[in-house]
Amino acid sequence: MTLLAVERIKLFSTRSPYWCSALAIVLGVGLTAIIAAASEEQVSLGLTQIGSAQLAIAVVLVMAAIAVTTEYRFGTIRSTFLAVPNRTSALVAKTVVVAFIAGVLGEIIAFGSVGIAKLLSSNSDLSINTAAEWRHVAGVGIVYAIGAIIAVAVGILVRQTAGAVSILLVWQMAAEGLIGFIPKVGIKIQAWLPFTNATHFLTMGADSPEQGGAGIDFKLSQWGSLAYFAGIAVAMLVVALIVAKRRDA
């Protein structure tokens, strides 16, 4: 518990978590507000989560990576490892704190988006009743938390802010989507890509353009896709921890 408290204090001693959190909320909830205000028809529950699934998550990934790379940049990671010789414990504590914050932020954005849509489009039916609807909204926080683990792992491996952020943004926002354009095998490969599976977990049934994953023949159920996404995140973190133990800080 002491390590968790220390990592929380260290994280919030810089401005980046505050700015990233604010930007993520503005992008996620703000896009929903624009859609709801501009729409002359009813807004669907799926549309309320476009900002959280496509824009806000990118900012959260950046925040998670910076939580690690900043320490390497300013050399404070050396002090951390001197105070806690067990590097694995220190880095796992940091990962837990960052993932928890990312998860909470995801829930705020997801439910905040539904709330603003109800306010601006009062004639829309945005009630959350079915299990699929709850998964679509409440599942955003879970995806953010797992995504943060991946971002921390990338940060540990790369150690440089620019490199880690570039990898994460290109990976999450472009690379997985572009793979689908590869003739014959692109869509088959997409069915096993981590962030594509995270999107599949959040869908409310048949894939549609507004939910993502259209045309992909997923081999896993939606909860299976979440487990697969989490498995990749844990595997990457394990590799990152092994590398961190074997090289100089």
Side-chain angles (χ1 to χ4, degrees):
M1 295 300 292
T2 301
L3 280 176
L4 295 176
V6 169
E7 291 300 333
R8 175 182 55 80
I9 293 171
K10 285 165 59 178
L11 179 64
F12 285 104
S13 64
T14 60
R15 296 180 181 179
S16 58
Y18 298 100
W19 283 108
C20 288
S21 297
L23 180 59
I25 292 173
V26 169
L27 289 175
V29 180
L31 181 58
T32 301
I34 293 172
I35 293 173
S39 179
E40 298 179 357
E41 301 178 354
Q42 290 191 352
V43 177
S44 67
L45 189 63
L47 281 174
T48 66
Q49 300 305 311
I50 284 184
S52 63
Q54 298 181 7
L55 296 177
I57 186 174
V59 180
V60 173
L61 294 177
V62 170
M63 179 187 72
I66 289 176
V68 179
T69 58
T70 299
E71 285 213 61
Y72 279 103
R73 177 186 177 187
F74 293 105
T76 56
I77 195 71
R78 297 188 184 93
S79 301
T80 298
F81 289 158
L82 286 173
V84 185
N86 188 338
R87 295 185 178 187
T88 298
S89 298
L91 292 174
V92 168
K94 180 182 293 294
T95 303
V96 170
V97 171
V98 172
F100 176 77
I101 293 171
V104 172
L105 189 58
E107 298 299 343
I108 292 173
I109 294 170
F111 285 97
S113 296
V114 175
I116 196 70
K118 286 183 177 180
L119 182 65
L120 297 176
S121 182
S122 56
N123 63 326
S124 298
D125 181 12
L126 296 172
S127 57
I128 306 173
N129 299 313
T130 67
E133 290 170 343
W134 276 106
R135 185 184 66 248
H136 182 63
V137 179
V140 171
I142 301 174
V143 169
Y144 276 31
I146 297 173
I149 296 174
I150 292 177
V152 169
V154 172
I156 295 172
L157 291 170
V158 178
R159 300 200 293 186
Q160 294 182 346
T161 299
V165 169
S166 298
I167 289 171
L168 290 166
L169 291 182
V170 171
W171 180 5
Q172 186 266 329
M173 300 187 73
E176 292 196 5
L178 291 174
I179 287 175
F181 291 102
I182 299 175
K184 297 183 180 180
V185 298
I187 293 181
K188 294 180 180 179
I189 295 174
Q190 275 188 314
W192 297 103
L193 297 177
F195 286 102
T196 303
N197 273 272
T199 301
H200 179 230
F201 165 70
L202 294 175
T203 59
M204 290 186 292
D207 291 343
S208 65
E210 72 180 32
Q211 295 171 324
I216 301 175
D217 182 20
F218 289 99
K219 305 302 180 183
L220 301 172
S221 67
Q222 288 166 305
W223 285 102
S225 287
L226 178 67
Y228 177 74
F229 183 49
I232 289 179
V234 172
M236 288 185 62
L237 180 62
V238 170
V239 171
L241 294 175
I242 292 172
V243 171
K245 287 179 66 176
R246 292 184 176 180
R247 68 185 178 188
D248 294 336

